[in-house]
Amino acid sequence: QVQLVESGGGLVQAGASLTLSCAASGLTFSDYLVGWFRQAPGKEREFVSAISRHGGRTYYADPVKGRFTISRDNAKSTVYLQMNSLKPEDTAVYYCAADREYPILVPATVSLPNEYDFWGQGTQVTVSS
């Protein structure tokens, strides 16, 4: 069965860095776009970042652009989200998700949660002021 497992969350001070990992199993990893989403209490789940099948294209939501970097290692079936200069407003549960985009990737859909086929359980990121 398909499984996505996030790790690396924690409690840090504003300005600190964290790197999240998303490890996948049960799927042909290189066939999937992988995205990161986050959800704060009382708010809708929002798009954070996404990366194409072989890492050639990356996408970022405006609030994280310039601070977060997404990458992937297909040999390890793992996607990473490096988060720098963290702010209290980054506090949320972070989820990774996989979207089968073989043979065609449609860039306009990468920020849409309903387009993703599989989701992880989430990892908590808390940034204190």
Side-chain angles (χ1 to χ4, degrees):
Q1 61 271 31
V2 174
Q3 189 172 17
L4 302 176
V5 180
E6 302 96 335
S7 62
L11 193 159
V12 298
Q13 296 184 141
S17 297
L18 276 177
T19 299
L20 306 183
S21 298
C22 173
S25 60
L27 75 169
T28 302
F29 189 66
S30 61
D31 286 348
Y32 288 80
L33 172 85
V34 177
W36 287 95
F37 294 78
R38 65 188 184 186
Q39 188 166 23
K43 296 186 177 180
E44 297 293 319
R45 189 167 298 187
E46 66 173 349
F47 171 74
V48 176
S49 185
I51 187 166
S52 62
R53 293 188 295 124
H54 299 288
R57 292 181 291 278
T58 57
Y59 309 88
Y60 298 94
D62 287 342
V64 309
K65 195 169 298 181
R67 298 188 297 121
F68 291 10
T69 302
I70 192 169
S71 61
R72 69 191 292 163
D73 184 344
N74 285 349
K76 297 180 178 179
S77 294
T78 301
V79 167
Y80 306 95
L81 184 68
Q82 183 179 0
M83 306 184 294
N84 297 328
S85 301
L86 283 162
K87 304 174 180 180
E89 49 262 48
D90 295 318
T91 295
V93 176
Y94 283 70
Y95 300 89
C96 69
D99 178 14
R100 189 180 186 275
E101 291 287 356
Y102 177 85
I104 299 172
L105 185 151
V106 182
T109 69
V110 301
S111 65
L112 305 177
N114 290 343
E115 292 294 320
Y116 288 78
D117 301 304
F118 306 107
W119 291 82
Q121 82 292 341
T123 186
Q124 176 71 48
V125 172
T126 303
V127 184
S128 63
S129 60

